[in-house]
Amino acid sequence: MNLKDLSQHLGLSPTTVSRALNGYPEVNEATREKVMAAAKRHNYKPNTRAIRLATGRAMAVGHVIPIETRHEIVNPIFADFIAGAGETYARAGYDLILSIVPDGDEARAYREMKSRGNVDGVIVHSPRHDDFRIGLLHDIAMPFVVHGRATGAALPYAWVDVNNRRAFHRATDFLLDLGHRRIGLINGLEFMDFAIRRRAGFVQALTARGMTETPALMRAVEMTEANGYIAARDMLAQTPAPTAFLVSSMIMALGTRRAIEEHGLIMGRDISVIIHDDDLSYMQNGADVPIFTATRSSVRAAGRLAASMLLDTIANPTPTPATHLLEAELIIGQSTGPAPNRS
Amino acid sequence: MNLKDLSQHLGLSPTTVSRALNGYPEVNEATREKVMAAAKRHNYKPNTRAIRLATGRAMAVGHVIPIETRHEIVNPIFADFIAGAGETYARAGYDLILSIVPDGDEARAYREMKSRGNVDGVIVHSPRHDDFRIGLLHDIAMPFVVHGRATGAALPYAWVDVNNRRAFHRATDFLLDLGHRRIGLINGLEFMDFAIRRRAGFVQALTARGMTETPALMRAVEMTEANGYIAARDMLAQTPAPTAFLVSSMIMALGTRRAIEEHGLIMGRDISVIIHDDDLSYMQNGADVPIFTATRSSVRAAGRLAASMLLDTIANPTPTPATHLLEAELIIGQSTGPAPNRS
DNA sequence: TTGAAAGCGTTACCAA
DNA sequence: TTGGTAACGCTTTCAA
């Protein structure tokens, strides 16, 4: 059943039927109702391919996940975020195109998206510091919203981000309140924007209490289980050892836990650990709080927000990009106790 | 730059240019070369929207992730699998459309995809036992490949699956070889196909050694951290307690670990744990082996395989669906030791 | 308020 | 081997 069929059934022209269905004001209300009813009755769905060609819009948004091909780093697909964005797209009749792009030819990939015209805009994930994609997308006039921030970018751009700085400030405060004085920071590599912000929050919290950061208790490493292990192991070997850890990802925390156990300590009893991870799709909502404390944001809501910002931009391009900083939600597990009385 | 522009530049008809570019045999080689050169020079990319309408193909594949809306269960987005599939699509010029579908109106969603014509086929994720989607997709003539299996389905269908039964058989064997005699199975709910197969493998391994399964040491629960905790806690409270656990997901294993620690035991020293999880995108490849043993498959390769099966089916529909059973790769962590000498 | 016709950028059929 | 023309299913402009 296509538009022509439907209009013939109704004894109307395709034009009128199209207008009725798309809510144009100039159509007679009686006609509109007849058309709507018939459309529903015959289960008419407009053909997306035809709409796309006729309107010149792709009715699709690309989510671009860059993957690091040189090393074994595969960036996560931000499941919660994307699920949230998907809700928004579905409501607006847009498709979500997931694009896994090897970092070697990202520029080519974006340009091709543009010239092939199969997306109206993109969400940029995993921004790096001063990310080149911002300039590129500007150049090719591809609407976009960044999931995260890219400090150092010369041009303004729209973004949605979790307040990483504040999250780490609060997490650090929390540990300081418990009496911890030697807190180890296990952070991601600091070419990633969020890693810089997280460290800043950590340091600020210490400074605010008249303390200074100890370089020996700070690591910035590739976020892998092995590196989480090494970082924690090395810090635990110091005298005095840290009494708490602040870990910048779930993956690294697996390694951190291993080091702690190898050291003969029990996490949450002998040593406190706070983990921050934005992609907690593998943990459940609500009651499923792990043994340690986790700081997290409403990632799904962030996805919805970013998506509607992008759709807005596509509909009416504005010179001043919108930005949204979301506060992370702090979740306290049961077993993160006070600082142990160890020297 | 579109086809018309390009053909005018060349002094040829759009028809000929199209044929030259698409490798039709009837075009003069000299002409073809001229056309190719001009296309490259002018950086001509055919407009996807037009191709789609003209050919009637969507040049896109849908990956449908059902989400459980009644409970808080959000099915994972199989990052590795999808990344693998994405590679295949990219090579073939297809888009990957990620579709998050609330389980309430899945049928509607599939029918709409069909009538709107924005995908040529779909990958079905997270099949349930006797999944209704197989019949549905058959009815609406939508090509599909299932990621997993749906035992009990009346119709034949194409699938790619990990050999869950064998994986659990081998994992159980491994523990038995270490001397364990009381092994707790913490499994997912058995309306999910893989959960049934995993239990079968576990039971078969016991049976093969003349042992019988102990119902008190087997749980089938919703795969959450909390349930992993409860299951393990309850089993540990029994006398005699299990000396090992076989856990059916990473999420549940977090809870299992918590229960073990609360019980005053150290995982890998006092008690062995094997975790099986197909979606290990958050662990890195290679050396990053956690403290416990993990059984995993080459999920990315499975995604590539499923994708090319689907593209084949789309290109030339065959009555006999292809099926592929992949062996899981067994990864041994350092600390899973022999059975403790506890009664 | 409705309709006819052109157009979107390709492919595909039929002639030449 | 090449070209003209219709077709894909809608939207949009222009007339009525």
Side-chain angles (χ1 to χ4, degrees):
Chain A
M1 170 67 54
N2 60 23
L3 187 63
K4 199 171 151 199
D5 299 340
L6 184 62
S7 64
Q8 280 169 353
H9 266 279
L10 283 158
L12 288 167
S13 75
T15 313
T16 306
V17 176
S18 170
R19 280 196 278 241
L21 258 24
N22 291 305
Y24 281 65
E26 66 262 30
V27 48
N28 188 322
E29 266 315 313
T31 317
R32 187 193 305 281
E33 276 168 30
K34 250 188 306 199
V35 171
M36 296 287 241
K40 171 158 281 177
R41 185 151 35 83
H42 293 89
N43 193 33
Y44 166 73
K45 302 282 176 213
N47 183 303
T48 312
R49 295 191 292 264
I51 295 180
R52 293 197 228 254
L53 182 57
T55 60
R57 294 173 303 167
M59 298 301 287
V61 168
H63 278 241
V64 184
I65 316 284
I67 62 171
E68 179 82 35
T69 45
R70 288 157 299 187
H71 313 94
E72 281 271 34
I73 307 175
V74 173
N75 279 336
I77 295 181
F78 299 96
D80 284 333
F81 185 94
I82 284 183
E87 290 178 33
T88 301
Y89 300 141
R91 235 187 302 277
Y94 274 70
D95 282 337
L96 190 169
I97 294 184
L98 192 61
S99 196
I100 318 277
V101 178
D103 59 357
D105 56 4
E106 275 185 275
R108 200 193 50 70
Y110 284 104
R111 286 181 198 283
E112 202 165 305
M113 278 185 196
K114 181 68 186 182
S115 50
R116 305 194 92 98
N118 50 349
V119 297
D120 293 318
V122 293
I123 299 280
V124 172
H125 288 277
S126 306
R128 287 80 126 183
H129 180 82
D130 187 15
D131 200 300
F132 80 98
R133 289 175 289 178
I134 289 170
L136 171 65
L137 291 167
H138 236 104
D139 286 351
I140 64 177
M142 170 80 88
F144 69 101
V145 170
V146 179
H147 172 204
R149 272 177 286 179
T151 314
L155 300 155
Y157 60 94
W159 51 261
V160 174
D161 199 8
V162 167
N163 196 337
N164 281 289
R165 192 196 49 68
R166 177 126 65 173
F168 270 59
H169 193 124
R170 289 170 64 204
T172 308
D173 264 349
F174 183 75
L175 291 171
L176 291 171
D177 286 344
L178 288 174
H180 292 278
R181 285 301 171 268
R182 292 184 60 78
I183 305 170
L185 173 70
I186 304 181
N187 201 7
L189 284 176
E190 296 186 358
F191 75 94
M192 313 215 43
D193 202 86
F194 68 81
I196 299 170
R197 296 177 188 281
R198 290 177 181 182
R199 186 188 40 160
F202 173 73
V203 171
Q204 282 173 14
L206 295 176
T207 308
R209 305 226 186 173
M211 305 168 62
T212 50
E213 70 269 29
T214 312
L217 290 179
M218 295 164 73
R219 293 286 186 288
V221 295
E222 234 172 48
M223 290 159 74
T224 66
E225 195 270 352
N227 284 333
Y229 168 80
I230 294 168
R233 185 198 60 191
D234 290 356
M235 290 197 217
L236 286 170
Q238 298 173 22
T239 324
T243 63
F245 282 116
L246 193 42
V247 188
S248 209
S249 88
M250 189 70 195
I251 301 169
M252 287 199 295
L254 293 173
T256 301
R257 174 171 57 70
R258 181 151 63 94
I260 288 171
E261 289 175 356
E262 272 190 24
H263 210 74
L265 304 175
I266 297 271
M267 205 160 118
R269 187 190 72 188
D270 308 319
I271 189 160
S272 293
V273 176
I274 292 186
I275 298 168
H276 180 108
D277 198 318
D278 274 0
D279 188 20
L280 294 191
S281 54
Y282 42 88
M283 292 189 187
Q284 301 297 313
N285 300 327
D288 290 11
V289 177
I291 188 169
F292 35 74
T293 306
T295 314
R296 75 176 190 186
S297 66
S298 302
V299 186
R300 200 183 184 91
R304 279 194 297 262
L305 179 57
S308 57
M309 284 167 59
L310 183 55
L311 294 185
D312 281 356
T313 310
I314 290 169
N316 37 30
T318 39
T320 53
T323 60
H324 288 277
L325 189 54
L326 305 177
E327 289 309 319
E329 175 189 346
L330 190 64
I331 298 187
I332 308 299
Q334 300 99 311
S335 7
T336 299
N341 293 354
R342 301 186 296 111
S343 62
Chain B
M1 169 68 54
N2 59 24
L3 188 64
K4 201 172 150 197
D5 298 341
L6 184 62
S7 63
Q8 281 169 352
H9 266 279
L10 283 158
L12 289 167
S13 75
T15 312
T16 305
V17 176
S18 170
R19 280 197 277 242
L21 257 25
N22 290 305
Y24 281 64
E26 66 262 31
V27 49
N28 187 322
E29 268 315 313
T31 317
R32 188 193 303 281
E33 276 169 30
K34 251 189 305 201
V35 171
M36 297 286 240
K40 170 158 280 177
R41 186 151 33 84
H42 293 89
N43 192 34
Y44 166 73
K45 302 279 178 216
N47 183 303
T48 313
R49 296 191 292 264
I51 295 180
R52 292 198 227 254
L53 182 58
T55 59
R57 292 173 304 167
M59 298 303 287
V61 168
H63 277 240
V64 183
I65 315 284
I67 62 171
E68 180 82 34
T69 45
R70 289 157 299 187
H71 314 93
E72 282 271 33
I73 307 175
V74 174
N75 279 335
I77 295 181
F78 300 96
D80 284 334
F81 185 95
I82 285 183
E87 290 178 35
T88 301
Y89 300 141
R91 236 186 300 279
Y94 274 70
D95 282 337
L96 190 169
I97 294 186
L98 193 61
S99 194
I100 318 276
V101 177
D103 58 357
D105 55 5
E106 275 185 276
R108 200 193 51 70
Y110 284 106
R111 286 180 198 285
E112 203 167 306
M113 280 186 193
K114 181 66 185 184
S115 48
R116 305 192 92 98
N118 51 348
V119 298
D120 292 318
V122 294
I123 298 280
V124 171
H125 287 277
S126 306
R128 288 79 124 184
H129 180 82
D130 187 16
D131 200 299
F132 80 100
R133 290 176 289 179
I134 288 169
L136 172 66
L137 291 167
H138 236 103
D139 285 351
I140 64 177
M142 170 81 87
F144 69 100
V145 170
V146 180
H147 172 203
R149 272 177 286 177
T151 313
L155 300 155
Y157 59 95
W159 51 262
V160 174
D161 199 6
V162 167
N163 196 337
N164 281 289
R165 193 195 50 70
R166 178 126 66 173
F168 271 58
H169 193 125
R170 288 170 65 203
T172 308
D173 263 348
F174 183 75
L175 290 172
L176 291 171
D177 287 344
L178 288 174
H180 292 279
R181 287 300 171 268
R182 291 185 61 79
I183 305 170
L185 173 69
I186 304 181
N187 200 6
L189 284 175
E190 296 186 356
F191 74 93
M192 312 214 44
D193 202 87
F194 68 82
I196 299 171
R197 296 177 188 283
R198 289 178 181 183
R199 187 189 39 160
F202 173 72
V203 171
Q204 281 172 13
L206 296 177
T207 307
R209 304 227 188 172
M211 304 169 63
T212 50
E213 70 268 30
T214 313
L217 290 180
M218 295 164 74
R219 292 286 186 288
V221 294
E222 233 171 46
M223 290 159 74
T224 67
E225 196 270 353
N227 285 332
Y229 168 79
I230 293 168
R233 186 198 59 190
D234 291 355
M235 290 197 220
L236 287 171
Q238 298 172 21
T239 324
T243 62
F245 283 116
L246 192 42
V247 188
S248 209
S249 89
M250 189 69 195
I251 300 170
M252 288 199 293
L254 293 172
T256 302
R257 175 170 57 71
R258 182 152 62 93
I260 288 171
E261 289 174 356
E262 272 191 25
H263 210 75
L265 304 176
I266 298 270
M267 205 161 117
R269 187 191 72 189
D270 308 319
I271 189 162
S272 294
V273 176
I274 292 186
I275 298 168
H276 181 108
D277 198 316
D278 274 0
D279 189 19
L280 295 191
S281 54
Y282 43 88
M283 292 188 188
Q284 301 297 315
N285 299 327
D288 289 11
V289 178
I291 188 170
F292 34 74
T293 307
T295 315
R296 75 177 191 186
S297 65
S298 301
V299 186
R300 201 183 183 90
R304 279 195 296 262
L305 179 57
S308 57
M309 283 167 59
L310 183 55
L311 295 186
D312 280 357
T313 310
I314 290 168
N316 36 31
T318 39
T320 53
T323 60
H324 288 278
L325 189 54
L326 305 177
E327 290 309 318
E329 176 188 347
L330 190 64
I331 299 187
I332 308 299
Q334 300 99 311
S335 7
T336 298
N341 292 354
R342 300 185 296 109
S343 62

